[in-house]
Every structure is written in structure tokens, then in C-alpha cells.
Amino acid sequence: MTSPTDSGVRSLPWLIQGGMGIAISNWTLARAVSKAGQLGVVSGTGIETVFVRRLQDDGVDAELQAVLDAFPLPTVVTDVLAKFNPSRRGGPDLPYRVVPMSTHRNVQSSQDLLVLASYVEVALAKAGHGGVVGINLLTKVQIPTVPTLFGAMLAGVDYVLMGAGIPVHIPGILDQLARGEVVETALIMEGAAEKEQVPNLRFDPRRFLTERSLKRPDFLAIVSSHVLAGAMMKRSSGQVNGLVVEAPIAGGHNAPPRGAMSVDDEGNPIYGERDQVDFSVLRDLGVPFWVAGGITMPERVREAMALGATGVQVGTLFAYCHESGLESSLKGSVLVAVQSESVHVKTSTSASSTGYPFKVASIEGTLSEADVYGERARICDLGYLREAYLKDDGSVGYRCPSEPVEIFLKKGGALEDTVDRVCLCNALMATAGYGQIRSKGERELPIVTSGDCTNELAILLRGRRDYHATDVIEFLKTGLVASSGPSSEHAGSSAEVDA
Ligand SMILES: Cc1cc2nc3c(=O)[nH]c(=O)nc-3n(C[C@H](O)[C@H](O)[C@H](O)COP(=O)(O)O)c2cc1C
């Protein structure tokens, strides 16, 4: 079992189903993985928009009602349900009602919605079994983080996993939230010198608390190198309970190459020797670690175990399984294409406003196609990847290189930063089936992110057009044979527990 034992010691899963935003790692997927004894992870990115769009599509069923009934502040539930229900929207072909973009102003209703949405996602993932559940967030996205973490903790989340930035401040925040303390964090802003006053993000958990303390989830930092892993362990504000070491072949965002960026003929970043992970350094850090990126067959699990890993984190293989949140026609297109090994994945250095490389699969009708991209009118109305900046008058502004170019330039942004930028917020919402409807009934179009090894999914598929999360687990599990490498102790313990 992977649940806490009487002594408080928890055995570790050999498999982490990676957090995949937006809403690809939904509660259905996480529940299926947790139920099977491994670590199921929900994505917390954009969770309040996902929640209110689901409400507007589907209303409230009995399972959701039970979770809502258990939320400690019923007035929050009542207010949210009154605003976001199918009748207020007026019909499935009309635009979704939107939530205001978050700012540093610490608006109570925005924080309440975040807490509720994250609570619901984790509570649904945890319902009906005794397995462990984690939540994944991107460090780059700052403002929603603390209320989202708190909502997850209210629902008893077991793990928090964060990368896409260096989350050194998060472990201490988890300690504070577990003690029911007010959390204040400085908003990191472009162009602000250290001595300059920056606004504090403030979250007060006390209005939700019926008990004095909450369980502190384990914190796993997602890193790309042993150097970052070392920095994380040294500089962290609280306990780091483990590391996920992710190679740049993984789906989603990747770390940029160390040093100056150079690209190949197709524009993919070139990684070199400095990007190689030194696993002996990792082993010496004394915390469990999981290997991520390209784990598409049992041999890769075996290799990871031989390096001393406790296990692996897997994204791409889970992204297309029956339970994932990927919109079903897109899922079908990818599953057909992998049979002929024809999914082409590019590492784009321009698509993401974060500035990090981002994997884009070439799928017809998505924003990976130049003409589809070219036809979209720019609009920024979700704003998760906006950066805060200091205006000339000293006040705080927000901008995103994917917003309308003239607006971005007016805010002091650079023209070159806008080239080929994709509005990942709207596109990834569409990928999960929650694309906004614009004028004349047109929907926002999706983008599919996937690992470099996507075509290797064919090995697991064996000609099928549908498979389940448990198929991924069963398939990879055969790589868990005892290894003679430095990992035998870890591999033995985790394999013996859950295999
Ligand atoms: C569709 C998709 C979305 C992803 N989104 C996130 C995310 O929001 N946060 C994150 O930390 N990692 C994200 N990842 C990375 C996965 O959590 C995982 O580490 C990675 O997929 C492992 O490599 P693989 O894709 O080769 O299996 C994403 C991956 C995929 C395929």
C-alpha cells in the first residue's frame, strides 16, 4: 500500500503519473492511477477556470454535490454555483462566463474560487479509495499558487509537485498552511530592482479552517539537472521530500539548455554535455528521486531503477489514455497517427510566453499549423502566463507577449518577443475541451503538447485505439525487475510494495 502506515512512514510509489496542464491530468485520471496503487496527480494550473467551465457545461452531479457539501465554507459554494451554471451561460454554443484575471490585489472572491476549485479536484481524485494523490503547479504562475495549494490541502492532498521555475519558497509555504498561518509572498516582477517595493500576495487560510492544523503534503521538486537539484535542497525554505528529474525529451515545458541557446535546422534547442544529469550527485543528496522523460517502455523503467531512482514519472503515455482530460477527437487523431509513427514533435523556443522551450505535436487543425495560427485574433483573457512589471509611475502592470501586439508594445514589451507566441492559456483550455467561444460561434483552437517519444506509444497500443491508465501501469511494471545497480535497495522496496 502507498498510504501512511501507523508509524507515519509512507512507502513510495514507483510510478508518478505526471501533472499535465491544463486539465489533461484531471481527477478521473489521477483517481484511476491512485486506485491502482501509484501516485495519481491532478493539474492545478488554471483550475478555477476549468472548474467553472465544467459547471457551465455539465452542472452538478451527485458525486460533485457530495464533495461540495463537505466544503467547509458553504457560502462560497452557493455564490459560485449561482454565478456559473448552465442556465446563466444560456446554451452550449454561447461563450462561457469568465472569471476575472487574477492580480496582486488579493481579491477574496478570486481566492475563494481557487480554494474551492482545487479542493474539488483533489477531493474527487481521492474519493472511493485509499491511494495517494498529488497536485502539480507551475512555479512561473505566481498569483493563484497559495490558495490553490491550500484548497488541495483542505482535501487532504498527499503530494505537491512543482517545476517550471525554482520553487524554493514552496516547502516553507506548505509548512505555514499546515499550521493555518497567513502566508505573504512577494510578487516577482520584471524590471523591479530588489530594493523596490513590490506588492505582497497575501492569503489568510483561517476562514476555511475547522481544525487547527492540516496535513503537510510531501513536496517533490521537478528539476532538470543535478545542479538545480542541489540548489533546491540547499536553498529551500522547508523540507524537500524528493525530486523528479526531467529530461528535455519530456512533454510540456522543458528547461532551456545550460549556457547560450543554439538551435538545429528546425529550430529545436540543442542540448549538450552540460545538460547531462550526474546521477551520482543526485544519489548523494539523500532524498528519493524519480526519472521523467521518455519513459515509454519497461526497459526505461529498468534503466531508471539502475541509476538509483525510486521510480519514474510518466506523462505522454497517460495523456492519451481513456481517463485523461484530452479532448476525445484530438486523442483519437494522435492514437491513429502513432500507429504509423507519424506524429512529429517540435521543441518550440517561441510558443510559450514563459520563455521556456515547449513541445508541440504537429496535429491537423491545431495551432501547430501555420495557417491555423495565423488566423487567430490575439486576445488575452485568462492571463495565467502574464508577467507582472513595474510601470513608469511605480504601479504594477501585467503583460503577455501573446496578447495583441500593439497593446504589448504600449506596455513596454519588445516586438521580437511577440513573434510566433501562442496563447497557451486559451489553446490548452481548448485541448481539454473547454475552449472559449468567440464571436460568430468560433471556438478557440487547441495545441497538443507531447513528448519526443510519442510515436513509441504504439508499442503499448498494439493496434488498439483505446487503452486505460491501468494498461500503462501494467505495461511499465514489467521493467521493475531487481536491478544490480546502485538502486537495488530503492527498487526492491518500491517494487515489492506496489508491483
Ligand atoms: C500534455 C502534457 C502536459 C504537461 N503539463 C505539465 C504541467 O502542467 N506541469 C508539469 O510540471 N509538467 C507537465 N508535463 C510534464 C509531465 O508531467 C511529465 O513530467 C512528462 O510528460 C514526462 O515525460 P514524457 O512526456 O516523456 O512521459 C506535461 C506533459 C504532457 C505530455
Side-chain angles (χ1 to χ4, degrees):
M1 287 294 295
T2 47
S3 51
T5 63
D6 290 345
S7 63
V9 178
R10 188 160 54 197
S11 54
L12 297 169
W14 65 266
L15 178 65
I16 302 174
Q17 160 255 311
M20 297 179 279
I22 293 173
I24 305 302
S25 294
N26 56 9
W27 63 263
T28 324
L29 174 58
R31 185 194 279 180
V33 174
S34 302
K35 231 173 153 174
Q38 300 309 318
L39 175 53
V41 177
V42 295
S43 166
T45 305
I47 193 67
E48 81 287 25
T49 294
V50 169
F51 178 57
V52 302
R53 290 190 180 182
R54 281 186 195 145
L55 283 179
Q56 293 174 76
D57 282 341
D58 307 326
V60 180
D61 65 9
E63 192 168 32
L64 175 57
Q65 189 63 57
V67 165
L68 293 174
D69 288 346
F71 189 69
L73 216 57
T75 52
V76 170
V77 177
T78 313
D79 289 352
V80 170
L81 292 188
K83 267 189 230 154
F84 301 102
N85 61 56
S87 65
R88 289 292 295 274
R89 182 181 175 195
D93 299 325
L94 294 171
Y96 289 107
R97 290 169 66 85
V98 296
V99 296
M101 288 194 277
S102 49
T103 71
H104 57 282
R105 294 195 182 81
N106 304 312
V107 177
Q108 188 66 61
S109 57
S110 302
Q111 294 191 343
D112 287 349
L113 175 60
L114 283 163
V115 173
L116 176 63
S118 165
Y119 171 86
V120 165
E121 194 72 5
V122 173
L124 286 170
K126 283 187 80 77
H129 61 89
V132 284
V133 167
I135 189 166
N136 173 273
L137 289 170
L138 303 176
T139 311
K140 268 269 180 178
V141 180
Q142 300 179 70
I143 298 171
T145 299
V146 177
T148 308
L149 288 173
F150 181 72
M153 286 171 67
L154 267 185
V157 79
D158 304 283
Y159 287 86
V160 168
L161 301 93
M162 288 179 66
I166 312 177
V168 282
H169 55 303
I170 299 294
I173 289 176
L174 296 177
D175 295 333
Q176 282 180 282
L177 290 175
R179 293 192 296 262
E181 292 171 10
V182 174
V183 174
E184 294 204 353
T185 45
L187 178 68
I188 297 167
M189 292 206 296
E190 256 323 279
E194 244 177 64
K195 61 182 178 354
E196 271 171 314
Q197 279 298 310
V198 294
N200 264 350
L201 303 175
R202 186 175 193 279
F203 176 74
D204 185 347
R206 290 171 298 190
R207 65 200 236 98
F208 296 95
L209 284 173
T210 48
E211 288 168 38
R212 299 249 306 269
S213 62
L214 290 174
K215 181 178 75 178
R216 194 269 198 193
D218 281 359
F219 180 74
L220 308 184
I222 304 169
V223 296
S224 57
S225 72
H226 56 277
V227 180
L228 213 61
M232 191 64 220
M233 297 304 298
K234 208 163 159 185
R235 289 172 31 209
S236 176
S237 60
Q239 196 180 3
V240 177
N241 305 90
L243 299 160
V244 175
V245 192
E246 193 183 69
I249 55 173
H253 283 97
N254 302 139
R258 298 190 69 207
M261 168 108 76
S262 53
V263 294
D264 66 16
D265 294 347
E266 233 197 22
N268 300 299
I270 299 171
Y271 293 86
E273 246 176 48
R274 292 182 64 197
D275 302 299
Q276 294 292 320
V277 176
D278 183 339
F279 282 91
S280 67
V281 175
L282 273 177
R283 288 191 290 270
D284 288 348
L285 290 174
V287 290
F289 67 90
W290 288 259
V291 171
I295 309 290
T296 51
M297 49 185 101
E299 290 72 13
R300 307 262 165 82
V301 178
R302 196 169 303 136
E303 285 158 20
M305 294 309 209
L307 289 167
T310 292
V312 293
Q313 171 166 293
V314 176
T316 296
L317 287 193
F318 283 114
Y320 306 99
C321 76
H322 189 79
E323 295 88 348
S324 90
L326 197 81
E327 192 276 323
S328 56
S329 65
L330 283 174
K331 209 183 267 186
S333 304
V334 174
L335 290 178
V336 168
V338 295
Q339 313 274 1
S340 54
E341 296 189 17
S342 56
V343 178
H344 180 73
V345 176
K346 183 176 158 52
T347 309
S348 169
T349 54
S350 53
S352 173
S353 301
T354 61
Y356 290 131
F358 184 73
K359 288 279 189 292
V360 179
S362 57
I363 306 293
E364 211 183 311
T366 71
L367 292 161
S368 63
E369 297 190 312
D371 53 341
V372 176
Y373 173 84
E375 275 168 28
R376 178 182 183 268
R378 285 180 173 231
I379 179 170
C380 176
D381 59 355
L382 291 172
Y384 297 112
L385 297 180
R386 289 176 307 159
E387 64 177 17
Y389 72 101
L390 210 53
K391 295 193 202 169
D392 292 342
D393 65 3
S395 63
V396 180
Y398 293 91
R399 66 185 173 209
C400 178
S402 320
E403 71 184 320
V405 175
E406 60 289 359
I407 297 178
F408 184 65
L409 299 184
K410 259 193 208 141
K411 293 175 180 172
L415 183 62
E416 61 267 26
D417 288 344
T418 66
V419 179
D420 292 336
R421 287 281 192 234
V422 176
C423 175
L424 287 187
C425 300
N426 272 296
L428 291 174
M429 265 318 154
T431 311
Y434 308 117
Q436 182 57 293
I437 293 162
R438 303 292 182 197
S439 60
K440 297 185 217 136
E442 281 167 17
R443 266 191 198 264
E444 284 282 358
L445 291 172
I447 193 159
V448 175
T449 180
S450 204
D452 282 350
C453 304
T454 301
N455 287 318
E456 291 176 2
L457 178 55
I459 307 168
L460 158 69
L461 277 178
R462 286 179 287 110
R464 288 173 295 181
R465 293 283 161 84
D466 190 26
Y467 64 104
H468 288 77
T470 46
D471 292 324
V472 179
I473 300 171
E474 290 302 309
F475 174 67
L476 292 179
K477 195 168 86 173
T478 56
L480 277 180
V481 291
S483 150
S484 56
S487 65
S488 46
E489 212 176 288
H490 277 311
S493 59
S494 29
E496 145 202 319
V497 168
D498 296 312

